[in-house]
Amino acid sequence: MRILLLNGPNLNLLGTRRPDIYGSVTLQDLESQFAGWGDHLEVSTQAYQSNHEGALIDRIHAARAEVDGIVFNPGALTHTSYALHDAIEAVEIPTVEIHISNVEEREGWRRRSVIAPAAVHRIYGRGTDGYRWALRHLVARVSSPPERFAYGPDAQQFFDLRRGGTRLAVLIHGGFWRHVWSFDTLDLNAVDLARRGWSVASIEYRRVGNGGGWPVTKEDVAAAARAAADEVAADSVVLIGHSAGGQLALEVASEVGDDVTAVSMGGVNDMVLAVEQQLGDGAAMDYLGNEDPAAACPTRHPPKGPVVIAHGTADDRVPFSYAEQYTKANPARLLATEGGDHFRFLDPADSMWIDIVGVLQS
Ligand code: DQA
């Protein structure tokens, strides 16, 4: 697989240009990091930057027979260049639009992307690490192309389905219920389960900042899971959530029967504790608004079906106490990984993920 990294105007100044917004990584550093991420994922990468719209268009045309995907930060041309939109559309190469900064929370004009309709996915606000997520997304979709389904009228109400058998895994991403994080974080897990014969739905849902919050977010997750289960005529369903997605998996499972399994990986399993401790800069409060945290607390309202709580003891985003708190009060299979952190679950070659798959397949 070959992936092109494309950067537009002013991105040659990375590292010195507004480091408060764009960070201190230079373009050269970024391009060599990108090549390293490519090596890790066993894909070959190439990189190009230009300050000129026409040169970017020429490079996209030249990529036509050459690459399988493009990671593209069009810079300010994002907001104006219909010509770049048309170039991406014309070559039909899956392209992820990426922005280092949170363009949704800056000047109003940055919110508008004329490129987005031609792109397969859009990542923003995750710093230069966003390029790594974009690369992972392309690798996942090129190696195992999903079908997209809408389960509601909002742009965030969709799931990507990899169709397998009648066992369905519903993947619920985390990110403290905030909109900069999206379904792509669990892409490699989706591909891994699909290879093992599962049907897998990578769901998106409205989040805090793009129409979500309690209870809209959990209602979206429930609706997405139902729609995916109908689509594949599932005879068994497992809801697998990471981080805040773990809370959502447990919360949604608690509202259905005992035939649904819930897996919480590094999950925010106790909302009362999350509010008390202002976990993730007050993320639980932002999610709940005026709602009583006890009403959305899986520790107090556990699912009726089987529960797997997987957590690393060295998790510094959602501490291990969130697993202990839940499993002290409720029956669950606890998979504790000594020294494990918050993100190892997202690597399908990692034992923290392999342990979960082992439990689900047994
Ligand atoms: C940017 C955001 C654009 O609005 C801006 O013009 C850029 C960089 C980003 O990476 O955050 O040049 O694309």
Side-chain angles (χ1 to χ4, degrees), residues 268-329:
V268 188
N269 307 318
D270 194 301
M271 292 297 273
V272 175
L273 194 62
V275 167
E276 241 167 58
Q277 298 184 336
Q278 303 204 12
L279 188 74
D281 286 329
M285 278 170 308
D286 294 344
Y287 169 55
L288 291 170
N290 295 325
E291 186 53 50
D292 174 4
C297 185
T299 297
R300 295 174 188 222
H301 310 282
K304 297 172 208 69
V307 170
V308 179
I309 299 289
H311 224 109
T313 62
D315 191 326
D316 61 359
R317 305 295 163 110
V318 181
F320 187 66
S321 51
Y322 285 77
E324 290 175 318
Q325 197 82 356
Y326 184 90
T327 51
K328 256 194 314 193

Side-chain angles (χ1 to χ4, degrees), residues 45-128:
T45 59
Q46 43 191 284
Y48 179 77
Q49 186 276 334
S50 175
N51 293 323
H52 305 281
E53 187 178 22
L56 291 163
I57 292 169
D58 288 344
R59 188 65 191 84
I60 292 169
H61 291 178
R64 191 172 216 162
E66 243 184 66
V67 308
D68 304 294
I70 303 177
V71 173
F72 188 17
N73 185 343
L77 290 171
T78 305
H79 316 299
T80 57
S81 177
Y82 293 105
L84 281 171
H85 166 282
D86 283 357
I88 296 165
E89 192 184 60
V91 297
E92 296 180 348
I93 301 170
T95 298
V96 176
E97 175 191 339
I98 149 98
H99 303 286
I100 298 164
S101 65
N102 186 349
V103 283
E104 293 295 325
E105 291 176 11
R106 296 179 62 193
E107 301 93 322
W109 55 269
R110 290 189 203 271
R111 246 177 254 148
R112 174 167 181 263
S113 168
V114 301
I115 307 283
V120 293
H121 188 38
R122 181 162 187 255
I123 288 175
Y124 56 86
R126 305 187 202 173
T128 47

